[in-house]
Amino acid sequence: MTKSSQTPAEIETFLKQAIDLAMESLRATGARPFGAVLVKEGRVIATGVNEILATNDPTAHAELTAIREAARKLGSPRLDGCVVYASGHPCPMCLAAMHMTGIEAVYYAYDNEVGKVYGLSTAAIYDEMRKPFDQQKLKITCVPIRPEGIDLYDLWRRQTTN
Amino acid sequence: MTKSSQTPAEIETFLKQAIDLAMESLRATGARPFGAVLVKEGRVIATGVNEILATNDPTAHAELTAIREAARKLGSPRLDGCVVYASGHPCPMCLAAMHMTGIEAVYYAYDNEVGKVYGLSTAAIYDEMRKPFDQQKLKITCVPIRPEGIDLYDLWRRQTTN
């Protein structure tokens, strides 16, 4: 799979599958309506739904759950060349995870504009995170302490280069 | 605890603990040097280290691991009023999770400027995520399909308001 090689037919197939997962999960458990399908070389290798209600894990978004399952199955934290199909607009947590794992592309069906009416938008989090650190609601402060006279990052470099 | 109520002494204590966790984990397992401590009302309720090497889970950052543990212990996905102390600069995935869970503040000791020299900076991911969707390396596309004649979000609203 090279970049941008997803065909309209496969995009529709996998998005439909992501929406079906969301719908099944909503109907079965009352979960928030989000599903995701993670595809490598045209094959589904992992899926996820929003599991926050069932697990109380605030990071159990559909996309993050699929990413974790895919990494477990592939035995690697790297997901280069994989494509995510999500029913909803990825939130910044999930999007950052996609960036960091090398996901190639993400397609989604319901954007934040649509979700806003239902309280299912993460646009406010995106807006917040676009601000400089010192202007975000969450107080973010660097306090550059270096206890014990040992520099953590120097130690890491010594351990990993020996 | 009201906003900004962390004293310099407690900030130093908990940051030192986060750095100690990172150092222990690095020494014991060769893990990437990151630790985090999650505090509620002055008490540590969860800790985390980077577990990617051990688990292949790309989301197992110290902060996200501590957030998951805290939510499990509290029995709630909300962490309002909690404070995170992290050895390193939080990445956008972890920062977004903090925003979404209601974390009040985060303090960290090693910023991305320092981490850059060691390949331990996430500044590039922040830069990428500040761009509009259509200019990011990861291809991000909304394809607003609505299969089956049932609107997923309408269904969710009906289920949750009944």
Side-chain angles (χ1 to χ4, degrees):
Chain A
M1 301 283 280
T2 56
K3 217 164 173 87
S4 312
S5 64
Q6 298 80 39
T7 66
E10 74 183 320
I11 293 168
E12 187 173 340
T13 299
F14 293 131
L15 275 182
K16 187 172 177 313
Q17 191 173 340
I19 293 169
D20 283 349
L21 283 169
M23 210 167 286
E24 281 165 27
S25 151
L26 164 61
R27 284 187 163 132
T29 68
R32 288 167 78 84
F34 297 106
V37 172
L38 201 150
V39 172
K40 185 175 187 179
E41 293 166 4
R43 285 177 43 220
V44 175
I45 56 169
T47 65
V49 294
N50 187 299
E51 295 178 0
I52 297 178
L53 188 70
T55 64
N56 283 324
D57 178 352
T59 74
H61 286 197
E63 300 93 320
L64 219 66
T65 301
I67 285 170
R68 296 175 83 193
E69 186 186 325
R72 199 161 45 234
K73 284 188 176 169
L74 296 174
S76 164
R78 295 293 312 174
L79 300 173
D80 299 276
C82 293
V83 178
V84 171
Y85 297 88
S87 62
H89 206 128
C91 82
M93 174 183 73
C94 294
L95 187 67
M98 293 179 208
H99 274 291
M100 290 191 290
T101 52
I103 296 278
E104 174 187 304
V106 56
Y107 295 89
Y108 59 99
Y110 285 73
D111 69 10
N112 275 336
E113 276 302 299
V114 174
K116 196 167 57 178
V117 181
Y118 303 86
L120 296 174
S121 165
T122 53
I125 310 293
Y126 274 107
D127 289 345
E128 200 60 35
M129 289 187 61
R130 267 187 218 104
K131 298 177 189 169
F133 268 16
D134 61 0
Q135 291 170 30
Q136 297 185 24
K137 276 181 204 158
L138 170 62
K139 189 182 165 196
I140 307 169
T141 312
C142 182
V143 181
I145 65 163
R146 301 287 184 268
E148 292 186 36
I150 302 162
D151 189 86
L152 176 62
Y153 287 4
D154 274 341
L155 180 67
W156 182 73
R157 181 155 60 187
R158 281 202 302 277
Q159 289 232 163
T160 51
T161 54
N162 279 345
Chain B
M1 301 284 281
T2 56
K3 217 166 172 83
S4 311
S5 64
Q6 298 80 38
T7 65
E10 75 184 318
I11 293 167
E12 187 172 340
T13 299
F14 292 131
L15 275 181
K16 187 173 177 312
Q17 192 173 340
I19 293 169
D20 282 349
L21 284 169
M23 210 168 287
E24 281 165 27
S25 152
L26 164 60
R27 283 187 164 132
T29 68
R32 287 167 79 84
F34 297 106
V37 172
L38 200 150
V39 172
K40 185 175 186 179
E41 294 166 5
R43 285 178 42 221
V44 175
I45 56 168
T47 64
V49 294
N50 187 299
E51 295 177 359
I52 297 177
L53 188 69
T55 63
N56 283 324
D57 178 352
T59 75
H61 286 196
E63 300 93 322
L64 220 66
T65 301
I67 285 170
R68 285 198 179 110
E69 187 186 323
R72 196 160 50 234
K73 285 188 177 170
L74 296 174
S76 164
R78 295 294 312 175
L79 300 173
D80 299 276
C82 294
V83 179
V84 172
Y85 298 88
S87 62
H89 206 127
C91 83
M93 174 182 73
C94 295
L95 187 66
M98 293 179 208
H99 274 291
M100 291 190 289
T101 52
I103 296 277
E104 173 187 304
V106 55
Y107 296 89
Y108 59 99
Y110 286 73
D111 70 10
N112 275 335
E113 275 303 299
V114 173
K116 196 167 59 178
V117 181
Y118 302 87
L120 296 174
S121 165
T122 53
I125 309 293
Y126 274 107
D127 290 345
E128 200 61 33
M129 290 187 60
R130 268 188 217 103
K131 298 177 189 169
F133 268 17
D134 63 0
Q135 291 170 29
Q136 296 184 25
K137 275 181 203 158
L138 171 62
K139 189 182 166 195
I140 306 169
T141 312
C142 182
V143 181
I145 66 163
R146 300 289 184 267
E148 293 184 36
I150 304 163
D151 188 88
L152 176 61
Y153 287 5
D154 275 341
L155 180 67
W156 183 72
R157 180 155 60 186
R158 282 203 301 277
Q159 289 234 164
T160 51
T161 54
N162 279 345

